[in-house]
Amino acid sequence: AASKWLNSKHENRPIYLILDILIASNLGEHSQAKLKTTILYNSMPKNVITNMLNLIMMSNETDIKTFAAKAINYLKHHTIDLDSVYYGSTFIRENFIILRFITGTLYPFVKQLEEQLMKETEEASGIIEALAQSNIYLKRFEEAYVLFNQLVDQYKHQDSRTLFLAGIS
């Protein structure tokens, strides 16, 4: 049924392009997925999700070591707007942190997060969450625990995910 969507005419809106990419990938039509990823990337070249999809589509048939090397090079040479990591959804934050962890570039990202946290005056909870989660990956459990406690106590994040990650740390 999904192939009907893929073969139908529709606008090149970001959500439609993402659906095209996901459906084409699942159907094994990688050339079409790459084409749609290129269109999406050209329309939103600094977006985190767009860049992550572009990177995955460029490297989807490689082993993890080759992917990590390509990802490191990609992250060095592409400008990505990190506002969606700092202030956006947990989905974006988690996946970007995992990408940084896989590529071994999480330490420099933590430095970026710390610098952004120092500058932030209004809504720091997303940055704190990203920093806390990054610290778990880096096995800095005490620092992660302090940050998660701040999210729970000061920012009133009482959701099960935050409480679970606080417990893990």
Side-chain angles (χ1 to χ4, degrees), residues 117-141:
L117 185 58
M118 296 300 231
K119 290 188 248 178
E120 185 56 51
T121 58
E122 292 186 30
E123 182 53 46
S125 66
I127 302 166
I128 293 169
E129 182 183 331
L131 192 54
Q133 188 175 352
S134 297
N135 280 325
I136 287 176
Y137 281 106
L138 296 173
K139 298 181 182 179
R140 298 175 174 173
F141 299 112

Side-chain angles (χ1 to χ4, degrees), residues 95-108:
N95 284 290
F96 192 71
I97 289 168
I98 290 168
L99 175 65
R100 298 304 293 243
F101 178 68
I102 289 170
T103 59
T105 60
L106 193 53
Y107 281 105

Side-chain angles (χ1 to χ4, degrees), residues 8 22 42 44 70 120 123:
S8 68
L22 294 173
N42 289 337
M44 304 170 68
K70 283 184 177 182
E120 185 56 51
E123 182 53 46

Side-chain angles (χ1 to χ4, degrees), residues 32-104:
Q32 190 167 5
K34 286 180 182 181
L35 173 67
K36 298 294 183 171
T37 303
T38 302
I39 294 168
L40 181 63
Y41 177 78
N42 289 337
S43 69
M44 304 170 68
K46 293 185 179 187
N47 183 279
V48 172
I49 294 294
T50 301
N51 276 279
M52 289 176 64
L53 283 170
N54 191 39
L55 175 62
I56 290 167
M57 285 298 127
M58 288 175 20
S59 311
N60 69 340
E61 297 170 8
T62 61
D63 62 281
I64 192 69
K65 287 182 181 181
T66 307
F67 174 78
K70 283 184 177 182
I72 290 168
N73 191 41
Y74 188 93
L75 290 169
K76 284 181 183 177
H77 295 97
H78 287 79
T79 303
I80 301 173
D81 181 13
L82 295 177
D83 281 352
S84 59
V85 175
Y86 301 147
Y87 312 110
S89 73
T90 300
F91 174 80
I92 294 171
R93 201 171 3 267
E94 279 183 1
N95 284 290
F96 192 71
I97 289 168
I98 290 168
L99 175 65
R100 298 304 293 243
F101 178 68
I102 289 170
T103 59

